[in-house]
Amino acid sequence: MKAKDIMREIITPQWLEVHGNWTVDRLKIGNEECEVKKIATCLTATPDVIRAAGEWGADLLITHEPTFYNHVDDFDEGSRLSVMKRALIEKYGLTIYRYHDSQHMAGVDLVNLDFIQKMGWKGEFDNDVYFVSDEPMDVRDIVEGIKTRMGLKHPRIVGKTDGKVTKIKLNLGHRGGDSYREFAEGQDWELVIGGELCEWADGEPVRDAAQFGEQKTLLILGHAGSEKSAMEALARDVDKKFDGAEARYFECGELYTY
C-alpha cells in the first residue's frame, strides 16, 4: 500500500477535505507514492530515531512533532542542522509524514484520550481538554501513577503538592501560554497537566495561588513525555492493518538528562 493512501486513512479524508489547505498533517519529505512494508512512528524524528527506523527498514515514518524546527516544517536551506537531517533521511530513503492536527482536533483529542485511558481514570471527558473525575484523586497518587503508567521519571510539581482533585485540564505537549495564568487567577480547575512552561510567567502565579491556600497544582511532564504514548498507541493500532505492513514505535527519549 502506498504511503499517501495509508496517511489518508489515518488522518481521514473528511479532515483533509475540510482542513487540507492549512493543516500540517501532510508529506514532509520523501516519496508519498512509495510502497510501504514497514511503518515507524515517533513523537519527534531526532537523528537517533531516523537512524533506528532506517536500520529497521522503515519505509514510512509518522511523526507528531516537526522535523525541521518550525511548526509547519518548512525546510530552510540556510539551516546547517536541517541540511544534515535531510541528508540522513535521504540516506535511509525514508518518507516522513506529520500526524498532529487531526490527532488533536478530529472530533476528539486522541492524545488526551490516550492519556486518560492509560492512567485508568474514570469520569467525564469533554473530548477536548477537560476531565472531571468520578471520585476525588490524591495529587501524590496521580504523580505516582504518571511515573509508573506513563514511564516518566521526573514529573515536576508546581503549587500545592498534596490534597485531592476532581477537575483536571490537560495541556499535554504545549506550554499553555496564558491559560496557566488564567488557571492560577481563579479558573474552576484544580489540576493542570502540561508539557512545558515558562517558569516566571506560568509557574509563579500557580505557586502564589497555592501559597494563598488554594487547591492549585500544575504538573509539568515534558513535551515528549506528555504526548509520546499516543504515538505508541498509533503503532499498535496500525500494525498489520495496511496490507500486512508491520508497525513499530521508536522512542525519542526525554529532552533533559537528569
Side-chain angles (χ1 to χ4, degrees):
M1 196 167 181
K2 293 181 179 180
K4 67 178 184 181
D5 297 324
I6 290 173
M7 293 311 301
R8 282 172 184 160
E9 289 203 32
I10 291 173
I11 296 171
T12 75
Q14 294 88 346
W15 170 265
L16 289 174
E17 182 179 345
V18 176
H19 305 287
N21 63 334
W22 65 264
T23 181
V24 300
D25 292 4
R26 61 180 73 246
L27 176 72
K28 297 306 173 182
I29 187 171
N31 177 19
E32 65 179 0
E33 299 288 343
C34 73
E35 291 292 332
V36 176
K37 300 299 182 184
K38 288 187 175 182
I39 303 168
T41 73
C42 66
L43 195 283
T44 302
T46 67
D48 282 352
V49 165
I50 292 166
R51 292 186 191 101
E55 292 296 332
W56 177 60
D59 306 293
L60 172 63
L61 175 60
I62 306 172
T63 181
H64 185 71
E65 296 300 354
T67 300
F68 296 117
Y69 316 116
N70 60 83
H71 180 61
V72 296
D73 259 359
D74 287 335
F75 179 78
D76 179 6
E77 289 280 0
S79 165
R80 179 179 61 89
L81 288 173
S82 293
V83 171
M84 292 168 63
K85 186 177 274 192
R86 182 177 68 179
L88 183 63
I89 294 166
E90 291 174 345
K91 171 186 174 181
Y92 288 106
L94 283 170
T95 292
I96 297 183
Y97 260 89
R98 182 94 178 271
Y99 179 44
H100 180 275
D101 294 345
S102 57
Q103 196 174 21
H104 283 294
M105 295 182 281
V108 57
D109 190 311
L110 297 175
V111 175
N112 289 344
L113 178 62
D114 176 79
F115 185 91
I116 291 167
Q117 291 175 338
K118 198 159 187 177
M119 289 294 293
W121 291 347
K122 303 298 182 183
E124 184 178 346
F125 176 46
D126 73 343
N127 289 333
D128 187 17
V129 297
Y130 296 110
F131 176 81
V132 179
S133 175
D134 287 342
E135 299 289 340
M137 297 188 289
D138 188 275
V139 169
R140 292 182 182 274
D141 289 342
I142 292 173
V143 173
E144 288 303 315
I146 288 171
K147 291 167 68 175
T148 57
R149 291 173 179 262
M150 308 300 293
L152 302 182
K153 297 179 180 179
H154 303 285
R156 289 174 289 164
I157 309 172
V158 181
K160 194 167 175 59
T161 59
D162 55 9
K164 295 184 180 296
V165 300
T166 57
K167 299 176 180 179
I168 300 171
K169 183 179 181 183
L170 298 174
N171 272 348
L172 304 183
H174 63 101
R175 171 189 158 192
D178 291 339
S179 67
Y180 292 152
R181 172 71 181 271
E182 293 165 359
F183 163 63
E185 288 283 5
Q187 277 190 339
D188 191 24
W189 301 95
E190 300 150 325
L191 172 65
V192 174
I193 302 177
E196 305 178 17
L197 88 165
C198 173
E199 292 186 5
W200 72 267
D202 305 327
E204 293 294 354
V206 177
R207 178 165 69 170
D208 284 358
Q211 290 186 7
F212 279 119
E214 299 177 8
Q215 184 65 59
K216 296 288 184 180
T217 303
L218 175 60
L219 298 182
I220 299 298
L221 310 184
H223 198 120
S226 67
E227 292 193 296
K228 66 180 184 177
S229 71
M231 295 305 287
E232 292 182 84
L234 176 64
R236 293 193 299 270
D237 291 343
V238 303
D239 187 36
K240 305 295 194 301
K241 179 179 178 180
F242 301 110
D243 290 346
E246 185 180 355
R248 181 182 296 183
Y249 168 76
F250 287 83
E251 175 64 60
C252 66
E254 294 189 49
L255 183 63
Y256 298 101
T257 298
Y258 296 88

